[in-house]
Amino acid sequence: MADSYQPSLETSLDRDCTTLSRHVLQQLQSFGPEAQDLSTLMNRIALAGKLIARRLSRSGLVEDALGFTGRTNVQGEEVKKMDLYANDVFISVFKQSGLVCRLASEEMEKPYYIPENCPIGRYTLLYDPIDGSSNVDINLNVGSIFAIRRQTGDDLDQSAADLLQVGRENQLAAGYILYGPTTVMVYSIGTGVHAFTLDPSLGEFILAAENIRLPDHGPNYSVNEGNFWQWDESLRDYIRYVHRHEGYSLRYSGALVGDFHRILMQGGVFLYPGTLKKPNGKLRLLYESAPLAFLVEQAGGKATTGTEAILDVVPGELHQRTPLVIGSREDVDLVESFIQERIREQEVLQASQK
Ligand code: P6P
């Protein structure tokens, strides 16, 4: 009998075939129903990323793609046309999926329910459709951030109260899509952090890096120092420290996804502390900080409010904001050490005044 056929061992062919949906199934080492669901969910998110990337690549050319809508969102921020387009893309890709009943977004005060999916759809997508949209009109990087949570209970009153659970228990998957010189999708389903690069000639996200790990320390610190005057003294102490020590570089793009991606790939720390104007910080817990905290812990890093792990924070409401300190373990620890020092000083002062 002729020898059985041996496929070529050309690695580039196998790499080009390691699409996102295949990778998810490989990660889960299962072809069971939930594995198939997650694979399909990630594939739909990838489709959203492709549609948004295409729109962004033409935004300077396509009528009505740039600029503001004249509306303000639930956050009181001016809504850009790209925000709304991206928000609707995520809704559209999950229609007729039978998977996602609810979508909760920065752009929508309440979750959006997809009627045909809700009787059976057991997953909720929480997302920031375009994070850093102020960068769109100046052709700088922006991103989409997402988390997938399992719906618990029937939510018949559409209060979506079950979304107010700590991220550590209830996030099944999280990730982001970075729209830069290339479009990169980074995700985790709890089995490490993996990056895919969109090959426009294939229309597929192709595996670029598996099991990404943050170094325990990195050179970057990423923060808007223009808010220095609004910070607690402990954060000012940290900034004074890095100003006086060699080996630190300030990198800040004004778009969380790009700034976080640099930290993930090179190490360091990103901070958005509370300020006088926004004591709870500017970033949202459920669809910005918690998804990135899921990723960073999977990659060996750390994410806190400055005093509590982001994944242990119990959300009080859907659009809750939180201070965020996220990145390499040693760098986050250093920031926290200044915060703890100030807390100790205040306790000693209060004790001395009794
Ligand atoms: P600031 C963008 O508006 C965003 O939500 C994040 O992407 C970014 O990290 C932050 O706000 C930037 O805020 O106050 O530094 O302009």
Side-chain angles (χ1 to χ4, degrees), residues 21-92:
S21 45
R22 169 174 147 180
H23 192 263
V24 170
L25 293 175
Q26 277 173 344
Q27 287 299 309
L28 294 170
Q29 295 178 346
S30 156
F31 297 105
E34 180 159 290
Q36 296 290 355
D37 282 353
L38 271 179
S39 178
T40 305
L41 284 164
M42 295 308 295
N43 225 22
R44 296 277 176 134
I45 290 169
L47 175 58
K50 295 175 204 173
L51 289 164
I52 294 166
R54 183 180 67 176
R55 180 83 169 193
L56 285 167
S57 71
R58 298 175 179 168
S59 55
L61 306 168
V62 169
E63 284 303 308
D64 225 19
L66 294 178
F68 293 93
T69 60
R71 297 162 52 176
T72 54
N73 63 17
V74 64
Q75 328 291 340
E77 293 172 343
E78 285 187 286
V79 178
K80 302 192 80 125
K81 293 171 185 168
M82 189 57 74
D83 289 321
L84 286 192
Y85 173 81
N87 193 68
D88 294 351
V89 163
F90 279 94
I91 292 173
S92 297

Side-chain angles (χ1 to χ4, degrees), residues 288-310:
E288 289 179 328
S289 299
L292 297 186
F294 182 91
L295 289 177
V296 87
E297 287 198 3
Q298 282 288 318
K302 191 172 179 181
T304 80
T305 62
T307 55
E308 181 182 14
I310 290 287

Side-chain angles (χ1 to χ4, degrees), residues 131-132 134 224 227 252 254-256 259 270 272 282-284 288:
D131 169 76
S134 57
N224 180 349
N227 292 330
Y252 193 75
L256 173 60
D259 290 331
F270 172 93
Y272 206 106
K282 176 180 183 183
L283 303 175
R284 290 83 176 179
E288 289 179 328

Side-chain angles (χ1 to χ4, degrees), residues 129-291:
I130 291 285
D131 169 76
S133 55
S134 57
N135 279 0
V136 170
D137 293 5
I138 52 172
N139 196 34
L140 291 182
N141 67 271
V142 293
S144 302
I145 308 173
F146 63 88
I148 297 170
R149 293 189 177 219
R150 188 184 286 108
Q151 179 171 329
T152 48
D154 295 330
D155 189 23
L156 295 176
D157 62 359
Q158 295 201 347
S159 65
D162 63 294
L163 289 180
L164 303 183
Q165 297 181 52
V166 294
R168 197 175 299 284
E169 302 304 323
N170 199 269
Q171 286 185 122
L172 287 174
Y176 57 83
I177 301 157
L178 174 58
Y179 310 101
T182 62
T183 299
V184 170
M185 181 162 171
V186 176
Y187 88 97
S188 178
I189 52 175
T191 57
V193 177
H194 317 289
F196 286 72
T197 301
L198 179 61
D199 179 339
S201 68
L202 279 176
E204 284 286 359
F205 280 97
I206 302 301
L207 182 62
E210 267 189 319
N211 299 314
I212 298 167
R213 304 290 294 176
L214 271 88
D216 285 341
H217 164 64
N220 304 301
Y221 73 102
S222 186
V223 67
N224 180 349
E225 289 203 8
N227 292 330
F228 185 90
W229 62 281
Q230 294 196 62
W231 291 335
D232 182 83
E233 200 59 31
S234 57
L235 274 302
R236 295 180 187 177
D237 290 342
Y238 168 71
I239 295 299
R240 293 181 188 111
Y241 175 91
V242 295
H243 285 176
R244 292 178 185 137
H245 287 75
E246 191 177 354
Y248 288 94
S249 297
L250 174 58
R251 296 287 185 270
Y252 193 75
S253 75
L256 173 60
V257 171
D259 290 331
F260 176 78
H261 190 66
R262 177 187 289 109
I263 298 298
L264 180 71
M265 303 310 287
Q266 298 174 352
V269 61
F270 172 93
L271 310 90
Y272 206 106
T275 64
L276 292 177
K277 291 180 182 175
K278 293 189 171 82
N280 290 324
K282 176 180 183 183
L283 303 175
R284 290 83 176 179
L285 174 60
L286 279 168
Y287 42 79
E288 289 179 328
S289 299

